[in-house]
Amino acid sequence: MGESGKKKKTSRDIQAEKSRERIYKVASSLISRKGFYDTSISEICREAQCSVGAFYHHFSSKDSILEETFRLADIDFAEWEVPDQQILDGKELVLLYMTSYADLIEQTGLNFIKRFYNNGNKTFIKQGRPMQTRLVEIIESSAQNGKLAIRDTPAVVCEKIFIAARGVVFHWCLHEGGFDLKTLLLDMVSCVLADQEYRP
């Protein structure tokens, strides 16, 4: 083991990672283009040049492909930063963060997102996801520095923001992507933040 205590990857480990990444990229591309139900696992394997057994070695189902998209997104959001972050006020930071979220949804594609947005998907309510915890950190830091007015706890503000954002995304799915997702999503987040400023 190295200084970090992590076991050094073997060539077999590296090859397995490459295989998983190739299958994921092919599957996500096909699902985005054709839709979830019109994409078969055999088609994914044919395009990825792998066996069905190899697919199931890395992913338990097509739904696992959807889950992988947001697992990877969580990794990216955990380290989210912007240039000159210290000079921005809290609202600007939150809106930039949620712009990144809207970008993720649009880049993932309507067909992909429509499958992901269902009441059986518990990913949304999983505690401790980096996508949410990073936003809590931003809200908390901004509030402590006097750059964001909040009357709820940072965790509750974050939850309200994501409730609003997911509502917009679901509405976007219902309308087959027929409006500007980012504009409406940021408008709704702004409403949540404006409500936090109101102190009766």
Side-chain angles (χ1 to χ4, degrees), residues 117-185:
Y117 268 69
N118 65 80
N119 60 5
N121 182 6
K122 303 305 179 186
T123 302
F124 292 135
I125 59 174
K126 184 179 178 181
Q127 296 296 310
R129 287 185 60 204
M131 190 178 290
Q132 278 74 50
T133 56
R134 181 69 186 111
L135 182 55
V136 171
E137 291 171 356
I138 291 168
I139 293 168
E140 185 172 29
S141 175
S142 296
Q144 289 175 348
N145 294 331
K147 294 184 176 182
L148 183 68
I150 58 173
R151 54 189 173 88
D152 292 316
T153 66
V156 169
V157 178
C158 174
E159 183 177 27
K160 289 181 176 181
I161 286 171
F162 271 99
I163 288 171
R166 290 176 190 137
V168 173
V169 175
F170 183 65
H171 194 61
W172 183 70
C173 290
L174 290 175
H175 287 268
E176 299 293 333
F179 60 84
D180 189 313
L181 170 72
K182 191 177 300 181
T183 297
L184 184 56
L185 191 151

Side-chain angles (χ1 to χ4, degrees), residues 23-120:
I23 292 169
Y24 169 73
K25 285 183 176 179
V26 168
S28 58
S29 176
L30 284 170
I31 292 170
S32 293
R33 192 167 70 247
K34 298 182 61 178
F36 185 86
Y37 294 107
D38 291 330
T39 300
S40 67
I41 288 176
S42 60
E43 183 178 16
I44 293 169
C45 293
R46 187 168 60 251
E47 291 283 334
Q49 298 181 334
C50 72
S51 67
V52 172
F55 177 92
Y56 282 112
H57 174 73
H58 294 293
F59 300 99
S60 61
S61 65
K62 281 194 296 180
D63 281 300
S64 296
I65 299 294
L66 306 179
E67 294 163 7
E68 179 72 356
T69 295
F70 281 81
R71 185 189 74 81
L72 294 172
D74 272 332
I75 293 172
D76 289 338
F77 275 93
E79 304 297 327
W80 187 90
E81 299 282 350
V82 291
D84 301 321
Q85 186 166 311
Q86 68 279 2
I87 67 173
L88 299 174
D89 68 31
K91 181 178 179 180
E92 289 171 326
L93 267 180
V94 170
L95 290 178
L96 282 172
Y97 189 88
M98 297 310 294
T99 296
S100 296
Y101 179 77
D103 287 339
L104 167 67
I105 299 299
E106 291 179 334
Q107 290 163 10
T108 301
L110 179 64
N111 285 324
F112 218 105
I113 294 299
K114 283 166 70 175
R115 173 64 184 181
F116 198 74
Y117 268 69
N118 65 80
N119 60 5

